[in-house]
Amino acid sequence: MAKKTRVAAPAGENPRRPCPCGSGKRFKACHGAGDDVIVTRPFEGLAMECDLVALREFLPSATAPLSLRASADRPVVIASVLPGASAALVRPSGEVLLGMQVQTRSGDLSADLARAIEWGLAAEPGTALPVVGPALTGTDRLQDLIDVDAPLDLTVHGDFAWWVAPEDGSEPTAEVLATVERANAVIMPTEAVEGDGVRAAYWVDTGTKAHLRWVRPEPEERLVAALARLQARGELGLGEGTKYAGSFRAHGLLVPVWDLDRELHPSEWSKPVTDFAASLETALADTAPLTSDERRARDALAGKQVTLR
């Protein structure tokens, strides 16, 4: 079952504050306006959960095909962001593109994606869905439409050239090319770090620092305890020149972050991250009570956590 949190303005709290759903709207104009709920872990139960969180929160340009349970005449591709931050669009060829980083959303991202899929399979080629609005009714969620055990075959792109697909053989307009050029100008170089036991780990160069952001599937309390065990032993880094920077919560999962040496190529982090994955698995399997040193490490790590969604 997806975890839901009913959103209501606590007594005496300002309803003009930003809505915790992340829409960017004030609470009173968003989920505070009605009896809505926020699903705090919208992709729970999906094997691709960690990659979907990465797509939604920090991958600048990435795409992956989705396999629907029911046969469809059109291929469906999920993407980090679409032109105009649209929820979905249908190419002239009939291919349906879904956007994860959208202008606005409801309290359940999974239901939004299901509605965008249903729209895309019925919409005219060449049209776009700016937002998933209330007129799009239905109770399906992404978990109802795709194979929950299927992984996500993500392709991380170095730019937004994939936005342009002139299937009719025509050249893209100057306006389209300018849009792509503007998007390319702000993209941060990002690559997946792969290895045994490694999934949803991404290297990113912010321009001043390089980071590893690693979306983890474990419950937060269990993961933090394992990280604390490693911290107490001085094993929380990824090698010389690295530093554990902290973590952020997003859509019910914890995302640890490390500062890295910018001089090393992303592929050079595969072995350190693979080695760390093995150490982390051992720490996760340890069910003994935390020692006093490990409890102090856990408390210190708690001070380095922030919540995005």
Side-chain angles (χ1 to χ4, degrees):
M1 292 289 292
K3 297 180 181 178
K4 298 184 179 182
T5 300
R6 190 162 299 280
V7 180
E13 189 159 336
N14 184 3
R16 296 169 65 86
R17 74 191 191 282
C19 185
C21 79
S23 67
K25 297 181 180 180
R26 292 175 178 174
F27 178 82
K28 69 176 184 178
C30 194
H31 287 90
D35 189 30
D36 205 350
V37 295
I38 292 178
V39 179
T40 56
R41 192 173 172 181
F43 309 122
E44 186 174 13
L46 292 173
M48 61 180 70
E49 179 182 18
C50 293
D51 283 318
L52 289 175
V53 170
L55 266 176
R56 174 67 179 86
E57 292 303 323
F58 59 82
L59 291 183
S61 180
T63 57
L66 283 183
S67 296
L68 305 184
R69 290 184 181 180
S71 60
D73 295 334
R74 295 175 172 178
V76 178
V77 174
I78 194 165
S80 52
V81 63
L82 300 177
S86 296
L89 60 84
V90 183
R91 293 195 191 274
S93 66
E95 181 183 53
V96 179
L97 296 181
L98 309 174
M100 287 291 285
Q101 298 169 27
V102 293
Q103 300 178 47
T104 186
R105 63 184 180 88
S106 75
D108 186 357
L109 270 173
S110 179
D112 290 351
L113 286 169
R115 292 173 183 176
I117 290 172
E118 292 165 354
W119 173 88
L121 295 178
E124 291 293 325
T127 57
L129 177 68
V131 297
V132 177
L136 294 174
T137 60
T139 57
D140 282 343
R141 306 179 74 244
L142 188 61
Q143 288 87 336
D144 300 316
L145 301 184
I146 67 172
D147 180 1
V148 298
D149 296 320
L152 199 63
D153 186 15
L154 262 176
T155 298
V156 179
H157 304 276
D159 56 30
F160 288 97
W162 57 271
W163 277 4
V164 180
E167 291 119 332
D168 59 359
S170 62
E171 291 295 324
T173 65
E175 181 180 1
V176 169
L177 291 176
T179 299
V180 173
E181 185 176 351
R182 286 194 298 270
N184 288 344
V186 297
I187 199 169
M188 290 190 295
T190 303
E191 292 192 27
V193 177
E194 300 177 345
D196 292 338
V198 180
R199 182 77 190 182
Y202 297 92
W203 171 92
V204 58
D205 186 346
T206 64
T208 57
K209 290 184 178 180
H211 301 291
L212 180 82
R213 298 168 177 170
W214 194 350
V215 188
R216 298 296 308 185
E218 298 85 10
E220 179 176 330
E221 184 176 354
R222 181 177 169 225
L223 176 60
V224 171
L227 294 174
R229 295 184 195 278
L230 296 176
Q231 170 75 343
R233 298 199 296 263
E235 299 175 3
L236 194 54
L238 298 176
E240 186 177 354
T242 70
K243 177 185 177 183
Y244 181 76
S247 61
F248 61 89
R249 301 178 189 90
H251 310 293
L253 298 183
L254 201 64
V255 186
V257 180
W258 286 262
D259 292 337
L260 305 178
D261 183 349
R262 287 187 69 209
E263 299 303 316
L264 297 181
H265 189 272
S267 63
E268 295 182 75
W269 294 107
S270 178
K271 186 179 187 308
V273 173
T274 299
D275 291 344
F276 182 86
S279 298
L280 180 59
E281 286 303 314
T282 300
L284 286 166
D286 189 345
T287 58
L290 295 178
T291 66
S292 58
D293 287 344
E294 290 168 346
R295 289 196 299 272
R296 283 193 291 271
R298 179 193 59 192
D299 294 342
L301 293 178
K304 296 183 177 182
Q305 294 175 352
V306 298
T307 300
L308 294 186
R309 301 284 188 271

